Amino acid sequence: MTSEPRTGRLIWSRMIWRYWLKEAKLTAMLVGILALGIAVFLSVRLANKAAVTGFGLFTESIVGQSDFILRSPAGKLDERILLEIRKATGSAPLGIFPVLEVTGAIADDPEPGLLRLVGVDLVGLQNAAQYLEGESAGSGGNGLNGESTNQLLGSSRAVFVGQGFVGKTGVAAGETVSVTVSDRVRELVIEAVLPDSPNVAAVPANLVLMDLPGLQALSGEAEKISRVELRIPPGADAAANRESGFALLTAFAEANDLILETPEEQKSSVTQMSAAFRLNLTILSGLALLVGVYLIMQAMEASVVKRRAEIAVMRSLGVTPAEIKRAWILEALLLGFAGSVLGIVLGRILAMGMVGAIAGTVNTLYYETTTTAVTLGGWEVLFCLVFGTVASVLAGWIPARDAAATPPAQAMRHGARSGGLKVLRFWPVGIVLFIAGIAAAALPPWERASGSVVSVGGYLSSILLVLSSSVLIGLLFRPVSRLLGRVGKRSAPFRYAASQLRKPGGRHRLTAAGLAAAIGMSAAMAILVASFETTLTSWIQQLLKADLYVSAPGISSVTNENTISSSTWKAIDSIDGVAGMDRLRRYPVSIDGTRAFLGGADYNQDSERHLQLIWLDPPEDRGPDALEKISGGVISGWISEPFQRIFGVGKGDLFTVPTPQGAKEIRCEGVYAEYGGETGTVMVSRKFTSEWFSDDRITQMSVYVSEGIDPEVVLSEIESQFPTLVARTNARLREESLRIFHQTFAVTYALEAIAVLIAVAGLGLALAGLLLERRRELITLKSLGATRREIAAAAMWEGVGLSIVGLSGGILLSFALGWVLIHVINPQSFGWTLTYQIPWGAFAFLIGVTILCAAVVASAVGYRNGEVRSDRIVGR
């Protein structure tokens, strides 16, 4: 009997280390597959985090982190409120920093990104250095000095930018850059480049800093500010001053119908808008990891089969089952750790390429984000190490148990069929799981304190349905076996493959379950994408009836505030060939602390040629003048489906929206579908919003051309007179809308491909273990005259049969998962009603590629394992 330390060294050298060296490619592949699953999961998380942290107050790197922010729930503030704040707070130690923020774009840029032009009080900023006692706001931290500040006061041309802006545009200090603000090009002079400080966040690449009066003059926002940032000076009394200041400011905000919040609260409230998107993407990224767990289990079981002789020798030498089991768990732990480390490195690299696509989607649907740098934190590293290692150990637990429980005499044989999960053999369990999955879909969503909604029932239903398919898929083996037998009844390889599938072992079932999970979730996402695309295409066809569409630069970003002046849109209206137009002005507002949009619309008066919405709950009057009605002092309005979900408003309900002239009561006359965002919009007549906001500008317009006039001629005229505007024909706008849609789902396509790749790799590993397990059968076949090519053909058809079983179960699973995604998760998370659409073409491609890959992999595995000698009996 050997001692325990010597036994451990013997097991390590004979059963683990030697096997890794002998099967270096297989070991590397196993580590690589686990690393890929970890990498996909981590890369999506890092890209999500980068997109969220990219949003922020664009003055943080200039005046430092504010303690409080005062802003209006609708529109901008009158700068006279600064005196009122000082009167209300008295001698309280509060630094008051007014901020005006407007949007712009680099002129003559074919794909202009959104610029944030921020106006601050440069005198106050200079004084902030002493006020904040040497913090980053001082001249040493931001590149400002007293001499340059005095020269720039009130200038509407001089600006400061960061290193990122210089790298993006190629301009330098002293040079001029052309910037479009609303529909006018402004020539701005780069007065200085703000250096990045190691103590504060880097200056965003799209930040342009100006003196407050200068930006007010440049943007036409005279005496207006976007918000007021307030600072408590550091020191021993900072906590007490912050508490008393908060009380004074709270009273002031309540008395003046203003919003008081901290920067953290503002970030949280805005980034919560994308919480559902990011959560769904994160859960989807777990697909590769889930399928990877199946693969690890298959590979570990294959390694048990390959080392049965070593197991038998060890058991004969007195090694206990517990020691064998520990050895396998140790191997799984080491492989899991190695795969996790590699996955962290690979995930960091993948995230750098993925963050652009995710940030583009966030910009389009939620808020402006500028961060493209990916930061890997300690929590992400720890989570991936623990998660990957634990997943590997759990996946290796069953093979470790089988290895320990196998008697020495049986371990010397290669004919016994074992392995897999025993629960996969009991199809009634699958029925119970399926019923539980359908029932879970009816559970109400969980609404978090932040206001975001988590579709708990939808996610639980998806998990139960996947587990259900893993069990029920065993019922498909016999029909597929019969199919192979009939197709190739005169072919020995066909008949042999069919015989193996007729009574599937545990590894057959486990392999098919892993493949079905990958195919099912990939095909379900294809259903979601197809349903979204079909619904979106129908929506676009219904919505885009005009001949031309004109907007200010940057309209693709939801936070764009660029507008078209009244003189410009009136000039376009008077161009020869223009028969009429729809005009829209959109304002961001806060309703009960939740962000939404208030839209003012006026439509072309032609009863046949004006904007036609897709109605979910139609109003009685849909005409161009329907929104101008006032009944009993209550204004008529239409709301979008996301607005209905967020605020619980339905047709006929009364609700209020904030405006600069106070809260206005609106009656919901109808609910329309909207797929351009999930923030929620309430639409009223523009004659009301123009009065409420004292603003006759518009955000965009739809132009109708007179009969017999070529829209391209009118388009050319608009472009020549107003080159700063973005003008597109109906066809070009539709094409652009679908391009943005496909860009949004680019990450989804990659995740689907990775999942299928991992599943097919798992099939190859499982077949390698199965053929090794049947080595005595292969020797018998060789004795009967079977060639190596015929053995490879038999393995190929067995692999094809396994892939057919997995595909059949996966496609059936996708129908149920697609239903959950479209009718449960999507409405609860995003508030969008989609038309269920099955992409038969995509399914055919997926089936064809999977079967082809399975055939190639299985044939290669069969050919490699078919090299046996009929005069040698292994294990004897």
Side-chain angles (χ1 to χ4, degrees), residues 288 290 850:
L290 173 63
T850 303

Side-chain angles (χ1 to χ4, degrees), residues 354-389:
M354 194 179 294
V355 66
I358 294 180
T361 301
V362 171
N363 286 342
T364 301
L365 296 180
Y366 304 103
Y367 47 81
E368 184 70 15
T369 178
T370 59
T371 297
T372 55
V374 175
T375 57
L376 181 62
W379 279 110
E380 281 93 1
V381 173
L382 180 62
F383 176 83
C384 288
L385 285 175
V386 172
F387 192 88
T389 303

Side-chain angles (χ1 to χ4, degrees), residues 178-264:
S178 298
V179 174
T180 301
V181 180
S182 290
D183 55 359
R184 296 287 185 270
V185 175
R186 315 290 185 175
E187 299 296 328
L188 305 180
V189 179
I190 308 299
E191 181 65 25
V193 177
L194 302 172
D196 290 334
S197 170
N199 301 319
V200 296
V203 179
N206 66 343
L207 170 67
V208 177
L209 181 68
M210 299 182 65
D211 186 36
L212 177 59
L215 183 57
Q216 288 174 329
L218 177 72
S219 61
E221 298 282 1
E223 300 182 346
K224 296 294 183 181
I225 55 177
S226 301
R227 62 180 179 269
V228 181
E229 300 191 17
L230 303 110
R231 287 296 308 266
I232 303 294
D237 299 328
N241 291 337
R242 187 175 291 108
E243 184 176 350
S244 60
F246 177 73
L248 291 171
L249 291 171
T250 299
F252 179 80
E254 291 176 351
N256 293 274
D257 294 325
L258 299 177
I259 296 175
L260 175 67
E261 58 191 357
T262 65
E264 290 77 13

Side-chain angles (χ1 to χ4, degrees), residues 62-363:
I62 308 301
V63 302
Q65 180 73 49
S66 301
D67 292 291
F68 306 108
I69 298 169
L70 271 174
R71 62 181 178 87
S72 171
K76 290 182 168 57
L77 297 168
D78 192 302
E79 64 180 14
R80 286 175 294 187
I81 201 171
L82 300 175
L83 293 176
E84 297 177 21
I85 294 174
R86 180 50 68 194
K87 289 179 182 179
T89 57
S91 60
L94 276 173
I96 302 176
F97 300 92
V99 177
L100 174 64
E101 187 174 324
V102 299
T103 58
I106 300 294
D108 301 324
D109 189 340
E111 294 185 4
L114 207 61
L115 294 179
R116 313 298 298 194
L117 285 80
V118 176
V120 295
D121 183 358
L122 293 183
V123 174
L125 189 62
Q126 181 180 357
N127 295 335
Q130 290 76 33
Y131 180 77
L132 299 176
E133 298 183 359
E135 290 190 33
S136 61
S139 59
N142 58 20
L144 302 179
N145 56 63
E147 181 180 355
S148 65
T149 299
N150 293 329
Q151 294 174 349
L152 298 174
L153 293 181
S155 173
S156 60
R157 294 192 62 204
V159 300
F160 298 89
V161 297
Q163 299 284 354
F165 184 93
V166 173
K168 181 179 179 180
T169 61
V171 298
E175 297 183 348
T176 301
V177 61
S178 298
V179 174
T180 301
V181 180
S182 290
D183 55 359
R184 296 287 185 270
V185 175
R186 315 290 185 175
E187 299 296 328
L188 305 180
V189 179
I190 308 299
E191 181 65 25
V193 177
L194 302 172
D196 290 334
S197 170
N199 301 319
V200 296
V203 179
N206 66 343
L207 170 67
V208 177
L209 181 68
M210 299 182 65
D211 186 36
L212 177 59
L215 183 57
Q216 288 174 329
L218 177 72
S219 61
E221 298 282 1
E223 300 182 346
K224 296 294 183 181
I225 55 177
S226 301
R227 62 180 179 269
V228 181
E229 300 191 17
L230 303 110
R231 287 296 308 266
I232 303 294
D237 299 328
N241 291 337
R242 187 175 291 108
E243 184 176 350
S244 60
F246 177 73
L248 291 171
L249 291 171
T250 299
F252 179 80
E254 291 176 351
N256 293 274
D257 294 325
L258 299 177
I259 296 175
L260 175 67
E261 58 191 357
T262 65
E264 290 77 13
E265 289 172 341
Q266 187 186 51
K267 285 184 180 182
S268 176
S269 65
V270 175
T271 55
Q272 282 298 331
M273 292 190 296
S274 65
F277 165 76
R278 293 181 285 110
L279 178 61
N280 279 275
L281 197 57
T282 301
I283 290 175
L284 177 63
S285 68
L287 166 64
L289 204 55
L290 173 63
V291 179
V293 171
Y294 278 109
L295 178 62
I296 297 168
M297 189 178 296
Q298 294 163 7
M300 293 298 290
E301 288 200 320
S303 68
V304 169
V305 175
K306 286 194 172 187
R307 286 177 279 183
R308 275 182 171 169
E310 286 89 343
I311 294 173
V313 172
M314 293 292 178
R315 291 292 306 278
S316 301
L317 294 175
V319 178
T320 66
E323 291 171 330
I324 296 290
K325 188 175 182 178
R326 284 198 298 268
W328 243 263
I329 293 177
L330 173 64
E331 180 175 2
L333 186 142
L334 294 174
L335 290 176
F337 182 81
S340 299
V341 172
L342 180 60
I344 291 170
V345 177
L346 183 59
R348 175 72 170 76
I349 297 172
L350 287 177
M352 294 173 63
M354 194 179 294
V355 66
I358 294 180
T361 301
V362 171
N363 286 342

Side-chain angles (χ1 to χ4, degrees), residues 438-582:
I438 297 299
L443 292 175
W446 171 43
E447 186 171 352
R448 296 192 288 187
S450 60
S452 62
V453 174
V454 179
S455 181
V456 177
Y459 296 131
L460 178 60
S461 175
S462 300
I463 294 173
L464 291 173
L465 289 174
V466 170
L467 296 177
S468 169
S469 70
S470 299
V471 179
L472 294 177
I473 199 172
L475 300 175
L476 298 176
F477 276 99
R478 189 170 293 275
V480 172
S481 173
R482 290 174 180 172
L483 175 64
L484 286 179
R486 291 177 181 176
V487 171
K489 57 185 177 181
R490 296 185 179 180
S491 171
F494 263 104
R495 295 198 303 273
Y496 181 76
S499 69
Q500 300 301 320
L501 298 177
R502 190 172 299 116
K503 294 182 179 180
R507 293 186 181 87
H508 284 99
R509 295 174 186 271
L510 185 61
T511 302
L515 186 60
I519 296 298
M521 286 188 264
S522 298
M525 288 306 302
I527 291 175
L528 175 62
V529 173
S531 300
F532 207 135
E533 184 171 12
T534 299
T535 305
L536 185 66
T537 302
S538 176
W539 178 65
I540 290 174
Q541 290 174 348
Q542 175 76 11
L543 199 66
L544 302 185
K545 296 291 188 181
D547 300 296
L548 302 172
Y549 296 88
V550 183
S551 63
I555 194 64
S556 61
S557 177
V558 73
T559 57
N560 178 54
E561 296 179 7
N562 282 330
T563 57
I564 302 173
S565 64
S566 59
S567 60
T568 298
W569 68 256
K570 289 176 181 178
I572 294 176
D573 196 15
S574 64
I575 291 177
D576 290 339
V578 174
M581 61 175 61
D582 301 324

